[in-house]
Amino acid sequence: VQLQASGGGLVQAGGSLRLSCAASGSILRVNSIGWYRQAPGRQRDLVAAARDDGAINYADSVKGRFTISRDNAKNTVYLQMNSLKPEDTAVYYCNADIVRSGWFSPIQYWGQGTLVTVSS
């Protein structure tokens, strides 16, 4: 199983970016999928996550600005980031809790990070 993330880049404050992350491989079920971020010198924190039952969690700092959505048919999650601020600058990591085909227990997977830089 692999997570392939894309969509980072450089944007001015107030601008928008859209991140995508696709899970591929022998997947039976994606329990949850979402995004974490890590700024220099800081810990990796949850940004947003979407569960297969429809529940969605957002970090307080991004509520009202970021929207997460998932395409279950494609095992893909999107993060639409609007009204970006310099403090959103970080490496964004895709994260998913996946049950592989033929397995019973889920495993947590991480994608490669994608850098988001918001200039003031």
Side-chain angles (χ1 to χ4, degrees):
V1 173
Q2 290 187 328
L3 300 180
Q4 182 65 46
S6 62
L10 173 64
V11 65
Q12 289 188 332
S16 298
L17 281 175
R18 188 189 194 214
L19 305 183
S20 300
C21 175
S24 62
S26 298
I27 297 171
L28 177 63
R29 185 175 66 252
V30 180
N31 290 340
S32 68
I33 188 167
W35 297 91
Y36 284 69
R37 68 185 179 186
Q38 187 168 21
R42 304 193 68 174
Q43 66 181 22
R44 190 175 298 185
D45 292 322
L46 174 70
V47 177
R51 294 204 325 234
D52 58 351
D53 62 1
I56 290 177
N57 290 323
Y58 291 104
D60 288 343
S61 59
V62 307
K63 285 180 180 177
R65 299 188 299 121
F66 291 10
T67 301
I68 190 170
S69 59
R70 58 185 282 178
D71 183 334
N72 291 328
K74 297 180 180 180
N75 288 329
T76 298
V77 66
Y78 306 96
L79 185 68
Q80 179 65 42
M81 305 185 293
N82 298 329
S83 303
L84 282 160
K85 305 176 181 180
E87 51 264 42
D88 294 316
T89 295
V91 177
Y92 285 68
Y93 295 92
C94 181
N95 172 269
D97 197 56
I98 294 173
V99 179
R100 296 176 58 181
S101 299
W103 291 46
F104 295 98
S105 299
I107 298 174
Q108 188 169 170
Y109 292 90
W110 292 92
Q112 87 284 9
T114 184
L115 178 62
V116 171
T117 304
V118 184
S119 63
S120 58

